[in-house]
Amino acid sequence: SEPARDDLIQEDSWSFEPRGRLMFDAGFTDVPDAAGASEGFGNELRRARLGASGNIPGGFGYKFEFDFAGDEVQATDAYLTYSDGPLEIIVGQHNNFQSLEELTSSLDTTFIERAAFTDAFGFERRLGASASYSKGNFLLQAGIFTDDLEDMSSKNRSADARVVFMPKSGPAQLHFGASFHYTHLDDPASSLRYRQRPLVHFTAERFVDTGDLGADSESGFGLEAAAIAGRFHVAAEGFWQSVDIASSSSDPAFFGGYLEAGLFLTDDTRGYGGGKFERTKPSRPVGDGGPGSLQFNIRYDHLDLNDSGILGGVQAGYLASLIWKPTGHTALIVNYGRLQYTDAVIATATGDTFYGVDALGLRAQIDF
Amino acid sequence: SEPARDDLIQEDSWSFEPRGRLMFDAGFTDVPDAAGASEGFGNELRRARLGASGNIPGGFGYKFEFDFAGDEVQATDAYLTYSDGPLEIIVGQHNNFQSLEELTSSLDTTFIERAAFTDAFGFERRLGASASYSKGNFLLQAGIFTDDLEDMSSKNRSADARVVFMPKSGPAQLHFGASFHYTHLDDPASSLRYRQRPLVHFTAERFVDTGDLGADSESGFGLEAAAIAGRFHVAAEGFWQSVDIASSSSDPAFFGGYLEAGLFLTDDTRGYGGGKFERTKPSRPVGDGGPGSLQFNIRYDHLDLNDSGILGGVQAGYLASLIWKPTGHTALIVNYGRLQYTDAVIATATGDTFYGVDALGLRAQIDF
Amino acid sequence: SEPARDDLIQEDSWSFEPRGRLMFDAGFTDVPDAAGASEGFGNELRRARLGASGNIPGGFGYKFEFDFAGDEVQATDAYLTYSDGPLEIIVGQHNNFQSLEELTSSLDTTFIERAAFTDAFGFERRLGASASYSKGNFLLQAGIFTDDLEDMSSKNRSADARVVFMPKSGPAQLHFGASFHYTHLDDPASSLRYRQRPLVHFTAERFVDTGDLGADSESGFGLEAAAIAGRFHVAAEGFWQSVDIASSSSDPAFFGGYLEAGLFLTDDTRGYGGGKFERTKPSRPVGDGGPGSLQFNIRYDHLDLNDSGILGGVQAGYLASLIWKPTGHTALIVNYGRLQYTDAVIATATGDTFYGVDALGLRAQIDF
């Protein structure tokens, strides 16, 4: 099997680990001709991250990573930690505790983009402080947050919490989770907007979009379930996001969720740990003369942005992916998605807002 | 005691040391209601630096570090060095030789922001070449500079020099220094502006501000004194900055300075070396079951931007800080400041420019 | 001799090597008084690169490097590789296969800026996929590319190929190469522009410039020859770039090339490998009490942007450089160039477009 990777440098209780990932995407989208939306070939450097994590004596640690893809450099994780047994305190910009899919590293998801609701509902890393308590099969996470580092002048204030139960059932790993999210938008000028692309990130078109909602607050509630048994896994999530509209008494509640199943064609299994999916490590990587791992996945991905007079549209995605991991730190991924729209916000010339879009995405990725 | 940190990688005369620091600030400011200035809660990622320093064979070395906090990435130190015994040559962007407070790392200052005059008078790293000569208790530094890397099109040309005498008196470390600064602004369109925030950086308000001064040149002169004796330290500086106004025969001279004293409540002492304060290393860090170090500091911080018809205002700061360092590379800091203004540039509704502002700042920091 | 540098960290088939370079430039340009162009002293941080390269098990590797000089951070190399014996596959942003001079690292060129045609004709790294096959004295490289990471919305599509024959003739290293380049600009709004500075980068003036050309495509063809024999080397290249003008039947073909010779005054030789020049490693570096290496080079550098009714001007450069490398990873470089213009695009007050410009450039550089 592939050699394990120790911390690259370790002295006494010091450790320093450089981190990085590169993801290149290319593919096609095909939209109805009369809709006037751009389509065809697209490509991009999806992520180019470089950073470091490590420990320093006394139970302290840090992680920071920057993404150089896109027009400007952005901090992703930028935090310091203090650990004492089952307790971990984090201060800085880090993931709020929303959704199994969101918390799983982009290196380890089964599709090149996460479930539609995670972007649509604005899940992102934010600056704040949190505590995690992990004991046996239970994990409890809670934190308070301001906004992301690009929006430090906003007056948004959030609270998030998540609880996970992750028992073993014979050889099978089970996962059950629930999360709660609340953001108070303490600024009359602030608004929320929920929208999403058709599976691939290299297109700029979004066929579902609530437009700006003058909001006082948003509240979210999510449920998670997953199981891994040998070569097979299933996962499902649902997330309900409701918005307190400033000028209206009827507050819309939107929904997103997915159901997926995957199967390794090689003798491999999906990684899991700490309440999220982790790296797949091929049992017979190509460096040892093996084929690496090959995994086939299907997903139904639903996003409903229609409620209480808001007509943001409904996106129903029928997705399939094939992931070849020559080694644990490399992957070639093919994704196909058929996105079926109801009340799409981009109408065709004849006024049709009920149609489908095809998306094909390829990714080459490496990380260290 | 805490384990010393060797260069992480060292072969022959090669060394490579990754460097980084993270500082998160949060706090409050309270200004007179009628002044119309923003106040209340604020927070930010104050510094997120990542870089590297090292040596290569032949006496050469390098350091570069970038700050990812703020809207765009900025180079801080970016230089190469050549050392031969007591002599060190530096080429690149580096600190000019102004002020003990400015030259002390932001990791090792006693307040979360440096003395008001250091920002007000525009101390910053600039691109240039310098030589330092160190022998026994004497240090001599001198360099010539253009401008900082963000302003390469300016025609500013500077010369800076500093001399330090740092004898031991029994167990006490003494420090005496003087520095000289001169900038020629070889551009009719160029101007200078001196201003400062009330102690904390996360507010954008500045109550002292000279406005733009059409200047031909600026000249600065500084004096430094400090002493460290066991748990106790004192430090004081004064800096006189005069501006050659293009259109006027009476050239204003502004003044800034501070006087501070600090006491460790634990059995620790403030670090010192190379003509500046250095890292405090707790004698009993938390990783070894100790309490870390706890230091209490008070400072009077003065900045006078009134002279020769320029009415930039006077800021008198009464400051206190409590610094808990669990280990040498972590700190939690609480700062309080009462800033008393005379001729503040922001008047209240009744025209009052003599009032006080309160500022409270907390910082969590880690570095490696 | 100078100690060799192993991969800094290597375990099993993992390696991780931090990379960086710093180059500081300063100097002067002198242009005819009546031309109205800016001249005089200039300086800049020319390159400040930080990144990493490494291998991971299975034959995979990666390299990414970012340049922090200039107004914004830009990715230079950002790619992943797969190697199997003589074959190497690269996916990501990397150098297209144009010109010996362009492919030689900026650390190892004989002048502080590359031959005029390499910038003028828009050679740059682009996002794409390529294959290289190397066996004995032969090297074959070919790839397809979209655009650089800053221009992902363009519809440019390129194909590039290069073949190199690099035999030894007794103690001499010979080099013969040819390259082909084609870009299709699939956008009616797209245009090309060829222009170049007078040797040094810190000036913004360009005296040769085709202006925007409404183009459908460009095609380039290059020839390379070089020889290294002990302290002596010669190199020559020619590159023909023709543009398919959308609105015209007569398509211009532009030409650039150079001829250079260099001689070490110390007992050193220029590095060569993999179809390009490589690092000069002084046989007696200063760290070992030696003088380092000292190399004197002269070059005639030609760029002709006049053809088929396009009057972009002709630049003939007479260049000399002196390179002192105290060690393999440091250099101090002095460059002088006399650039003689015909049909310069900046005319003097009397309408003269036939004149000369002097450029003097100094560089201090370090890398790791």
Side-chain angles (χ1 to χ4, degrees), chain A residues 259-275:
Chain A
L259 175 63
E260 81 170 54
L263 182 69
F264 280 96
L265 309 181
T266 49
D267 187 19
D268 289 294
T269 191
R270 199 169 180 195
Y272 179 87

Side-chain angles (χ1 to χ4, degrees), chain B residues 339-360:
Chain B
L339 291 308
Q340 201 65 44
Y341 293 97
T342 305
D343 301 322
V345 295
I346 302 177
T348 65
T350 61
D352 191 6
T353 59
F354 182 92
Y355 54 76
V357 167
D358 295 287
L360 181 71

Side-chain angles (χ1 to χ4, degrees), chain B residues 15 67 122 223 250:
Chain B
S15 73
D67 200 327
L223 289 177
S250 66

Side-chain angles (χ1 to χ4, degrees), chain B residues 16 57 61-62 64 66 78 92 146, chain C residues 18 24 43 45 49 68 327 366 368:
Chain B
F16 174 79
Y62 59 87
F64 52 162
F66 301 96
T146 60
Chain C
F24 298 100
N43 72 331
L45 175 60
R49 293 199 186 155
F68 295 79
T327 69
I366 196 167
F368 62 89

Side-chain angles (χ1 to χ4, degrees), chain B residues 9 11-14 16 50-52 56-58 60-64 66 68 72-73 78-82 91-93 127 146 149 152 157, chain C residues 2-9 18 20-22 24 41 43-45 48-50 68 71 73 286-287 326-327 329-330 364-368:
Chain B
I9 311 165
E11 299 178 10
D12 302 312
S13 33
W14 280 97
F16 174 79
L50 203 53
I56 62 173
F60 295 93
Y62 59 87
K63 179 178 176 190
F64 52 162
F66 301 96
F68 294 79
E72 54 181 36
V73 180
Y79 58 74
L80 52 91
T81 64
Y82 174 74
V91 175
Q93 175 157 294
L127 186 55
T146 60
L149 287 170
M152 280 291 91
R157 305 288 174 256
Chain C
E2 189 173 351
R5 185 190 193 193
D6 297 326
D7 273 356
L8 286 178
I9 311 166
R21 71 184 66 171
L22 279 175
F24 298 100
F41 179 78
N43 72 331
E44 69 172 336
L45 175 60
R49 293 199 186 155
L50 203 53
F68 295 79
D71 286 339
V73 180
V286 297
T327 69
H329 291 263
T330 51
Q365 92 183 21
I366 196 167
D367 79 287
F368 62 89

Side-chain angles (χ1 to χ4, degrees), chain C residues 155-205:
Chain C
K155 294 190 179 300
N156 292 1
R157 305 288 175 256
S158 300
D160 289 90
R162 181 172 176 249
V163 58
V164 175
F165 177 51
M166 39 188 174
K168 287 256 184 185
S169 169
Q173 173 71 55
L174 304 181
H175 169 102
F176 304 98
S179 67
F180 172 75
H181 164 77
Y182 176 77
T183 295
H184 184 60
L185 290 80
D186 190 15
D187 191 342
S190 63
S191 63
L192 292 171
R193 184 181 194 176
Y194 301 146
R195 55 181 185 165
Q196 183 56 294
R197 293 178 172 88
L199 179 57
V200 291
H201 186 270
F202 51 75
T203 177
E205 302 290 350

